[in-house]
Amino acid sequence: MADLKMTIDKTNRISKINKEIYGHFAEHLGRCIYGGIYVGKDSPIPNVNGIRTDVVEALKAIKLPVLRWPGGCFADTYHWRDGIGPKENRKKIVNIHWGGVTEDNSFGTHEFLDFCEAVGCEAYVALNVGSGTVQEAAEWMEYMTSANESPMTELRKKNGREKPWKVKYVGIGNENWGCGGEMNADFYSSLYKQYHCFARGAEQQIACGPNSNDVGWTEAMMSKVGAHQMQGLSLHHYTVPTNQWEHKGDSVSFSEDEYYNTLQHTWFMERILKDQEAVMQRYDNDHRIGLVVDEWGLWADVIEGTNPGFLYQQNTMRDAVLAAINLNLFNQHSSRVKMANIAQMVNVLQAIILTEGEKMVKTPTYHVFDMFKEHMEAELVYSSCENKEIEAKDGKFPAVSQSVSVDADGKMHITISNASLDEDFGIDCAIPRSEYKTVSAKILTEKYNALNDFDAPDRVVPKNFDGIKLSGEKLSFTLPRCSVLAIELC
Ligand code: AHR
C-alpha cells in the first residue's frame, strides 16, 4: 500500500463554491420528463398535480439547487405557448431530435416552475433562439416573471397563477453552434445581444458557450459580449468511454481497461477548465462572467432494446468515481465555474434517478451528490495531495482526486476519490492550526461495475466509515480502491 501525503491550509480561502455547481438538467427527452418526473394527475403512481412524489423527495434530500429545462436540443424547437392552458387543448408536436416521438406538451411552463418550487430549487430556463423569435422569448419571460399588468401576465393569471415565479437563470439558446441552429460565433453573438435586450426578468443571462474545449468560440464571445450583457457562458462536454461517438461503449458491461480509459477521458475536463479560464481571464479579470458547465457526464450506448433516441443507460461505480472527479474539479475551479448541470436528472444519460413504472432507484451518482452536498455555498480552501499515476491505454491520469471546503459554521468537508482498482492508499493529511475535535465519514465503495437496479436498489450505497484517525493537526486513513469518501471535521 502506497502512502500519500496530503496538506490542507484552512486559512487559505480560495473561492466560494456556488451551490449551483451541484445543478441538474432535465430535457424533454426519452423518459426524463414523462414517466421520470411527470406521470399525470390520474396516475396510480403517488403524485401531486402529476409530479412524482418519490422523485421530489429524493431531490429534496440532496438539496438540489438548480434545474435547467426544457433542453438541450429540444429547447431550440420549443414554443412555450404550446405548453400552457388546459391540457386537452395543448398542441401535440413531434420531438424531432429525440426519437421523433409525439410531445403532448402536458408538462409545460406551469408544471416546470411549480416542480422547482416543490423541490425548492432555482429555475434555469433555456430560450428558443434556433427556431423562435426575440418577441416570443420576451413574452415568455414576461409571462413567467412579471408582476405588472400586461397581456402576458393576464394570460398567466387566467391559467391559474397569480404571482410571478422566480426564474433566476435564463439561457439564450442551446448549442447554437450545433443543434441550436448551426450558427457561427459572429452570427450568434449578434443574435445573443438582441435576446439580451428584450428577454428580461431573470437575474442572470447565460450565453451559449463552446463545444467542449473550443477556445475560438469562447474568444469570440468574450471579445464581442461584455460582462454587462452576459453573466455566464455555458460549456458542454461529455465523457465518452471509447471516445468514439459511433460506438460509445456499454454502461454496464465493460472491462477494467475500459473503466480506466473512461476515467482517463474524464480528466480532460481539467484541461478544458484551465484553457477556457485562461481565455475568459483575459477579458474578465474580475470574474464577473461565470463558466457554466451546463451539460456534463458519462454518455454511453443505450441499453439494448431501448429506443436509441431516448439515451437510457445504467449507472455503476464507474459513474460514481467519474462524478467525484468532475465535482472535485468544479470545486477546485469555483473561482470561475459558477454552475454545472449533470446530464440528465432522471432516466437519461448519467442519471441520478432511474424509474420503471412506480419503482424508483437512486444511482451511485445520486449518492455522490448526496455525499458532496455539504460543499454547497462553502469556501474552497487550499489542499494538495501526492498522487499516483494510473496508466490507461489512452494515457495516464491521477488516481486520487480531492477538494476541501469550510462552511459557515467552520466545519470542514473533504471529498476524495480513489480510481485505482488494485491499490488502497494510506493518506497522511496535515491540517496546520486545526482545532477540530471530531471526525465522521461516509464511503461509497463496491466493485467497479456494481450498480443499483429495480430488484436490488441498495447494492451501492454510502456506509459509515470509521477508519479515520484525528490527532491534533493530523488526519490519517486508508482510502480503499474504487471508492469515494466524504469526511466531516467539526
Ligand atoms: O443531453 C443530450 C443532448 O446533448 C442535449 O440535448 C444537447 O444539448 C447535447 O448535445
Side-chain angles (χ1 to χ4, degrees):
M1 182 172 72
D3 284 326
L4 303 177
K5 295 220 176 317
M6 183 171 167
T7 310
I8 298 172
D9 181 356
K10 71 188 185 85
T11 61
N12 187 350
R13 310 264 167 138
I14 298 167
S15 46
K16 184 183 141 215
I17 299 174
N18 261 12
K19 66 181 193 303
E20 284 82 354
I21 283 180
Y22 292 83
H24 291 259
F25 167 41
E27 179 168 12
H28 287 242
L29 192 176
R31 296 186 302 112
C32 183
I33 301 287
Y34 299 109
I37 296 171
Y38 185 76
V39 287
K41 271 188 189 157
D42 301 331
S43 168
I45 300 170
N47 70 83
V48 176
N49 288 330
I51 304 287
R52 292 181 76 120
T53 312
D54 53 356
V55 169
V56 169
E57 289 312 314
L59 300 177
K60 278 163 92 172
I62 56 167
K63 301 193 176 137
L64 187 113
V66 60
L67 183 59
R68 175 173 182 252
W69 171 86
C73 297
F74 181 78
D76 285 281
T77 65
Y78 186 61
H79 299 286
W80 66 276
R81 281 188 176 79
D82 297 347
I84 55 167
K87 301 216 185 212
E88 60 281 11
N89 299 339
R90 295 192 190 177
K91 208 191 250 179
K92 290 189 171 52
I93 60 157
V94 178
N95 190 334
I96 57 164
H97 289 294
W98 305 118
V101 295
T102 300
E103 161 65 57
D104 73 2
N105 279 304
S106 51
F107 188 93
T109 303
H110 289 247
E111 290 77 13
F112 170 66
L113 293 170
D114 290 350
F115 175 56
C116 289
E117 284 187 347
V119 171
C121 70
E122 305 289 358
Y124 175 12
V125 172
L127 301 179
N128 179 346
V129 170
S131 69
T133 64
V134 177
Q135 184 181 356
E136 182 187 8
E139 288 179 345
W140 193 14
M141 291 308 294
E142 191 174 301
Y143 183 92
M144 292 187 283
T145 63
S146 177
N148 291 331
E149 266 181 45
S150 79
M152 288 306 112
T153 58
E154 285 312 307
L155 185 58
R156 183 186 73 221
K157 289 174 194 165
K158 195 174 130 224
N159 287 332
R161 174 77 183 197
E162 186 66 29
K163 284 189 313 180
W165 291 277
K166 179 181 171 206
V167 176
K168 186 163 180 191
Y169 301 99
V170 66
I172 312 288
N174 169 76
E175 297 193 355
N176 300 94
W177 36 258
C179 66
E182 296 185 10
M183 303 170 191
N184 63 34
D186 266 356
F187 182 80
Y188 171 74
S189 58
S190 302
L191 204 49
Y192 173 86
K193 288 186 210 168
Q194 251 187 299
Y195 276 78
H196 150 75
C197 284
F198 300 105
R200 301 196 180 179
E203 272 175 36
Q204 296 203 12
Q205 294 178 320
I206 293 161
C208 166
N211 176 13
S212 188
N213 203 14
D214 180 357
V215 284
W217 183 281
T218 306
E219 180 84 41
M221 288 301 293
M222 293 299 291
S223 61
K224 290 172 202 302
V225 185
H228 60 290
Q229 293 163 317
M230 67 170 166
Q231 289 69 53
L233 186 66
S234 93
L235 180 149
H236 292 179
H237 177 75
Y238 287 96
T239 301
V240 176
T242 58
N243 260 354
Q244 288 165 25
W245 284 96
E246 322 73 64
H247 167 61
K248 295 180 268 301
D250 202 275
S251 60
V252 177
S253 31
F254 50 87
S255 63
E256 291 192 4
D257 281 353
E258 286 171 284
Y259 162 91
Y260 281 131
N261 263 340
T262 307
L263 298 181
Q264 194 270 342
H265 299 161
T266 218
W267 272 96
F268 186 58
M269 184 60 88
E270 187 181 44
R271 176 79 271 136
I272 295 177
L273 297 178
K274 286 182 177 165
D275 290 350
Q276 297 294 326
E277 281 166 358
V279 178
M280 293 178 81
Q281 194 70 16
R282 277 194 276 117
Y283 295 91
D284 176 36
N285 201 17
D286 304 333
H287 292 216
R288 286 189 294 159
I289 301 174
L291 188 58
V292 173
V293 188
D294 57 17
E295 288 188 32
W296 68 274
L298 180 85
W299 192 325
D301 289 331
V302 299
I303 297 284
E304 225 180 291
T306 63
N307 187 328
F310 281 15
L311 311 187
Y312 180 68
Q313 63 192 48
Q314 247 292 0
N315 200 290
T316 65
M317 225 9 244
R318 175 177 68 172
D319 295 72
V321 177
L322 183 149
I325 292 169
N326 282 278
L327 291 171
N328 279 331
L329 282 172
F330 299 147
N331 286 347
Q332 295 280 13
H333 288 261
S334 54
S335 65
R336 182 62 77 180
V337 177
K338 297 298 172 195
M339 191 191 318
N341 310 68
I342 191 168
Q344 298 193 7
M345 199 167 69
V346 192
N347 292 333
V348 171
L349 299 177
Q350 192 177 345
I352 54 165
I353 289 174
L354 302 176
T355 66
E356 203 176 77
E358 79 289 355
K359 292 187 188 161
M360 186 195 85
V361 156
K362 295 171 179 169
T363 66
T365 303
Y366 174 94
H367 295 301
V368 171
F369 274 81
D370 192 27
M371 291 165 70
F372 275 58
K373 66 179 184 295
E374 306 303 335
H375 284 308
M376 289 194 246
E377 300 290 295
E379 274 187 291
L380 176 77
V381 297
Y382 173 85
S383 67
S384 74
C385 189
E386 282 179 342
N387 226 314
K388 194 77 193 288
E389 284 201 317
I390 293 179
E391 183 106 41
K393 200 163 71 18
D394 292 351
K396 292 180 180 161
F397 70 97
V400 174
S401 100
Q402 99 287 342
S403 65
V404 182
S405 69
V406 174
D407 70 13
D409 300 328
K411 288 183 200 156
M412 177 177 284
H413 294 100
I414 305 169
T415 47
I416 182 161
S417 65
N418 178 2
S420 174
L421 295 180
D422 45 37
E423 224 178 338
D424 306 332
F425 296 118
I427 309 276
D428 271 323
C429 180
I431 314 177
R433 293 175 293 282
S434 157
E435 284 164 5
Y436 295 112
K437 298 277 177 293
T438 60
V439 59
S440 58
K442 294 249 183 233
I443 191 155
L444 195 68
T445 183
E446 272 301 331
K447 197 171 170 223
Y448 69 98
N449 55 0
L451 54 85
N452 295 330
D453 58 26
F454 298 98
D455 302 324
D458 295 324
R459 221 182 261 132
V460 187
V461 287
K463 300 195 173 82
N464 289 333
F465 185 71
D466 299 325
I468 305 198
K469 225 172 98 201
L470 170 67
S471 52
E473 300 182 344
K474 226 181 120 193
L475 198 64
S476 42
F477 54 95
T478 298
L479 183 64
R481 63 200 69 186
C482 194
S483 70
V484 178
L485 178 64
I487 304 171
E488 179 175 88
L489 294 172
C490 303

